[in-house]
Amino acid sequence: MASLNVGNLGEYLREQRRNAQLSLRQLADAAGVSNPYLSQIERGLRKPSAEVLQQVAKALRISAETLYVRAGILDAERDRDDVETRAVILADPSLNERQKQVLLQVYESFRKENGFGTDADADADADVKADADAGPGPGAGVDADAAVDGAETVKNPHS
């Protein structure tokens, strides 16, 4: 059963690598893993650790959570919608990194409010709440209370 997940992971990694127009060697170098090891992962012969998956995801600029699900590290059924939503947000080229993080915080707060929060969501929400309690920092640009309460007032500074 695990080999099916690993094969699916390998096919997915190969597809993502090709979409990023990277050679196997280029991705291996960027992820800090050996070329033969990455080749074995893509062919479904090896099951990488979560750490290796995170390095590969970072090199491909995709969500590590998506790779964790494909590798069977995360429960696909329970986490699929959440992971897909996060992956879409993180992959959106029209958003900068700060905007992606704020959007993820708002998303996590809504999930928690609706009873779908995870431990990771609770930790992120605690960070958002701590930021809100501390007040806006210099150049914060986002009202943390608005982000937690529904993001009705988050505005695009470029409009």
Side-chain angles (χ1 to χ4, degrees):
M1 198 69 134
S3 63
L4 266 177
N5 285 342
V6 175
N8 186 22
L9 170 68
E11 292 169 17
Y12 180 75
L13 281 176
R14 182 179 294 120
E15 178 184 326
Q16 294 302 310
R17 176 177 59 79
R18 288 178 176 162
N19 287 341
Q21 298 180 342
L22 293 172
S23 70
L24 191 64
R25 186 174 307 275
Q26 289 171 319
L27 178 56
D29 288 344
V33 298
S34 74
N35 188 36
Y37 182 58
L38 185 57
S39 175
Q40 290 173 346
I41 294 169
E42 282 193 358
R43 290 181 288 141
L45 302 176
R46 295 285 182 130
K47 183 174 183 177
S49 67
E51 182 180 335
V52 168
L53 288 175
Q54 184 175 17
Q55 291 169 244
V56 171
K58 184 176 180 182
L60 287 170
R61 306 190 105 207
I62 62 174
S63 166
E65 292 171 324
T66 301
L67 295 184
Y68 296 159
V69 169
R70 297 238 178 209
I73 295 171
L74 288 178
D75 180 5
E77 292 303 315
R78 190 190 71 184
D79 298 326
R80 180 175 292 138
D81 290 340
D82 180 48
V83 168
E84 287 177 355
T85 301
R86 291 170 193 266
V88 168
I89 291 169
L90 291 170
D92 189 332
S94 67
L95 300 175
N96 65 39
E97 290 305 311
R98 184 189 62 80
Q99 291 167 332
K100 290 175 185 180
Q101 292 307 311
V102 169
L103 190 53
L104 286 172
Q105 288 173 345
V106 170
Y107 173 69
E108 290 165 0
S109 71
F110 282 146
R111 284 184 51 84
K112 183 178 178 187
E113 181 180 313
N114 294 332
F116 292 100
T118 63
D119 290 340
D121 291 341
D123 291 344
D125 289 338
D127 292 343
V128 171
K129 178 73 173 130
D131 290 344
D133 291 344
V142 175
D143 182 334
D145 288 328
V148 172
D149 293 333
E152 294 90 355
T153 61
V154 175
K155 296 180 182 173
N156 182 349
H158 303 291
S159 58

